[in-house]
């Protein structure tokens, strides 16, 4: 039996693709810190989308997320032109700390590893 994908899954995937392109252009055009979209979670009623981003330099993540949240309305307008949705969800940008946590765990494991 194949897995069933809900409408929210399909909308999330499409938003991730579209926002990846738009965020990349925003970084280039507005001289923002380098970030990329890692995931998008859409509420069940398709009213709100949480956009998870990762930063090339984690110390610049706060500034990048703040700038993206300030541009959320403009990005939403651009999405409404490119996507076939009756209503595009409101965007909320958050920093995805999973990569940083993974690197920290990797560093701890390497430091704990005995020399051979």
């Amino acid at each position: 039996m194949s897995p069933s994908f809900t409408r929210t899954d399909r909308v999330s995937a499409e938003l991730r693709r579209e926002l990846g392109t738009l965020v990349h252009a925003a970084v280039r055009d507005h001289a923002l810190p380098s970030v990329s979209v890692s995931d998008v979670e859409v509420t069940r009623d398709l009213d709100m989308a949480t956009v998870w981003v990762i930063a090339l330099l984690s110390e610049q993540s706060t500034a990048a997320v703040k700038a993206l949240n300030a541009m959320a309305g403009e990005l939403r307008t651009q999405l409404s032109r490119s996507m076939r949705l009756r209503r595009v969800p409101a965007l909320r940008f958050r920093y995805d700390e999973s990569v940083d946590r993974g690197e920290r765990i990797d560093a701890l494991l390497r430091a704990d590893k005995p020399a051979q």
Side-chain angles (χ1 to χ4, degrees):
M1 186 167 175
S2 66
S4 62
F5 295 102
T6 62
R7 177 166 170 76
T8 57
D9 293 338
R10 292 190 305 271
V11 170
S12 293
E14 183 66 21
L15 281 171
R16 188 178 328 114
R17 279 190 294 277
E18 294 289 331
L19 280 168
T21 304
L22 292 174
V23 167
H24 179 71
V27 164
R28 187 182 61 240
D29 296 343
H30 299 286
L32 299 176
S34 184
V35 294
S36 61
V37 176
S38 64
D39 195 19
V40 176
E41 295 173 357
V42 180
T43 57
R44 200 171 198 180
D45 61 358
L46 303 176
D47 195 39
M48 176 68 70
T50 303
V51 183
W52 297 96
V53 295
I54 54 176
L56 185 61
L57 301 171
S58 59
E59 56 272 359
Q60 294 180 339
S61 62
T62 305
V65 169
K66 187 175 181 178
L68 288 171
N69 277 318
M71 296 176 61
E74 179 185 335
L75 293 170
R76 185 178 182 196
T77 301
Q78 291 175 10
L79 284 172
S80 70
R81 293 182 188 130
S82 64
M83 294 184 70
R84 292 179 44 206
L85 286 175
R86 193 172 297 146
R87 186 170 182 273
V88 175
L91 304 175
R92 176 178 52 199
F93 290 88
R94 299 282 186 252
Y95 181 64
D96 186 356
E97 296 179 356
S98 62
V99 173
D100 294 340
R101 272 189 258 131
E103 288 175 357
R104 246 186 324 237
I105 290 170
D106 188 46
L108 289 171
L109 290 173
R110 289 176 194 240
D112 197 34
K113 187 176 179 181
Q116 292 184 7

